[in-house]
Amino acid sequence: MSKFIIEPHFRLQEWVAEEKGYYLAEGLDYELRELIRSTAGQHHNKANEGAFQSIEKGREADVSCACHWTVNVAASRGHTRLYADAYSVAPSGIFVAADSAVRTPADLAGIPISVGFQSGSHYSTIQALEQYMPADSINLTFEDGMLFRRMELLIEGKSPAAALFNGPYYLAEQLGFRKVIDTTFMIAAMIKGAPEPEDVRRYFRALRKAQRDIDLRPELYTHYYRNEFPDRFHAIMDPKQWGPGERIVFEPYSREVFEQSFDWIGKHGIFPEGRMGSGNYDQATVSFAAG
């Protein structure tokens, strides 16, 4: 019987559950595969590619995550199945240098903003800024790659504005970069293939225990961010200053949420016409809720 493959996704819960033995306590035979630190961040040096493309190519993990918009479309196109029994919420925002002339969200009109293509930062930046400006004034650039690469270019002064979330969000704050607007967004889990339903339940029961620990004493667990950051950033990091990051919500990702999100994506033209899939909730999602 193959091991249940877990791919950490920029959040603390997987590391807390692993090191406190919650997976083993649930009887889960698992393997944890980390991609960011083990590749020195090179995994994110992908211009004009993002979460959707990584799902389209195929992920190895039995359960992994991406922003709910991308998982919505990927599941609608048959690349994966959206896990409907929980979701999470990630702190995110658009950051600029402390001395930037950009002071308000409206000042971002026409300014290149680094986001990940068809990734959470792509959708959430539009969602936040369309309150302040017409669509043709929102200037997104996909050339700077995914999360850790965008963070690095912002720190190096090579990017005038960047959308960051979770650990990189906190590091930017710590280093004095200024958050212009909050763009917090939902993340959905996805199921690859046909893992044993009870293994999926074991996995999420372990994460529920870890979430409880983080809620109670977040300061005890922020050091786990070092497990995700490439080593070259460790000397400038002080995770003791940081918040708990992404929070898992053990509530259903409902049909209403799915359909509203699918409609929003279609209206904003983020995917070419006819390339979003069926939008059928029953076909795109899976639930392993007991009973």
Side-chain angles (χ1 to χ4, degrees):
M1 187 174 180
S2 60
K3 290 181 180 291
F4 187 85
I5 300 174
I6 299 169
E7 182 181 288
H9 184 78
F10 323 134
R11 60 189 183 189
L12 304 183
Q13 291 86 352
E14 277 96 351
W15 301 108
V16 173
E18 202 271 336
E19 293 203 25
K20 297 193 83 168
Y22 291 150
Y23 296 135
L24 294 177
E26 290 291 343
L28 184 64
D29 184 17
Y30 72 98
E31 178 184 345
L32 190 148
R33 296 183 182 177
E34 184 277 325
L35 290 174
I36 305 305
R37 188 177 179 189
S38 62
T39 63
Q42 297 302 306
H43 180 69
H44 276 186
N45 293 3
K46 299 174 181 178
N48 297 301
E49 288 189 32
F52 183 84
Q53 287 67 39
S54 73
I55 299 169
E56 193 173 36
K57 290 175 182 177
R59 293 189 177 184
E60 293 185 9
D62 290 290
V63 178
S64 59
C65 299
C67 76
H68 74 119
W69 300 281
T70 278
V71 179
N72 189 312
V73 176
S76 292
R77 287 178 55 176
H79 296 309
T80 187
R81 288 179 297 168
L82 186 153
Y83 178 71
D85 298 330
Y87 59 88
S88 56
V89 181
S92 65
I94 301 170
F95 288 85
V96 298
D99 60 357
S100 171
V102 173
R103 309 299 301 183
T104 71
D107 293 337
L108 286 166
I111 301 294
I113 304 168
S114 298
V115 302
F117 182 57
Q118 293 176 345
S119 300
S121 53
H122 183 171
Y123 310 88
S124 61
T125 297
I126 294 172
Q127 196 172 70
L129 292 183
E130 64 184 358
Q131 306 171 93
Y132 292 92
M133 63 192 73
D136 59 5
S137 294
I138 302 174
N139 183 10
L140 305 183
T141 176
F142 309 112
E143 298 293 327
D144 293 344
M146 297 174 70
L147 179 60
F148 281 88
R149 181 59 176 160
R150 296 197 306 273
M151 177 195 75
E152 186 168 35
L153 292 174
L154 180 70
I155 291 172
E156 292 176 350
K158 297 175 181 177
S159 173
L164 303 175
F165 67 96
N166 285 357
Y169 168 107
Y170 292 127
L171 180 58
E173 280 193 325
Q174 178 206 313
L175 296 178
F177 289 87
R178 184 155 37 80
K179 184 176 69 175
V180 180
I181 187 170
D182 186 278
T183 63
T184 295
F185 62 90
M186 293 170 70
I187 289 174
M190 59 191 131
I191 305 295
K192 175 196 171 186
E196 288 292 329
E198 186 56 28
D199 281 347
V200 177
R201 296 186 193 105
R202 290 184 180 109
Y203 169 71
F204 278 99
R205 286 198 298 264
L207 292 187
R208 186 189 287 268
K209 293 176 183 177
Q211 184 65 69
R212 174 205 60 203
D213 292 343
I214 295 166
D215 288 346
L216 182 64
R217 294 290 304 276
E219 78 283 1
L220 298 181
Y221 306 109
T222 55
H223 67 89
Y224 287 110
Y225 284 115
R226 294 186 182 277
N227 291 4
E228 296 245 337
F229 274 70
D231 289 354
R232 64 184 179 278
F233 296 110
H234 287 193
I236 63 171
M237 292 169 55
D238 183 10
K240 294 188 297 296
Q241 298 184 33
W242 299 7
E246 185 176 330
R247 189 176 195 282
I248 302 174
V249 179
F250 293 92
E251 294 289 339
Y253 189 92
S254 69
R255 182 185 303 273
E256 181 181 15
V257 171
F258 180 94
E259 292 176 349
Q260 287 184 10
S261 301
F262 193 84
D263 181 64
W264 186 92
I265 299 164
K267 287 179 177 177
H268 286 78
I270 293 173
F271 287 82
E273 188 174 353
R275 298 298 304 278
M276 284 181 55
S278 67
N280 186 302
Y281 180 81
D282 294 322
Q283 294 176 1
T285 67
V286 61
S287 170
F288 291 137

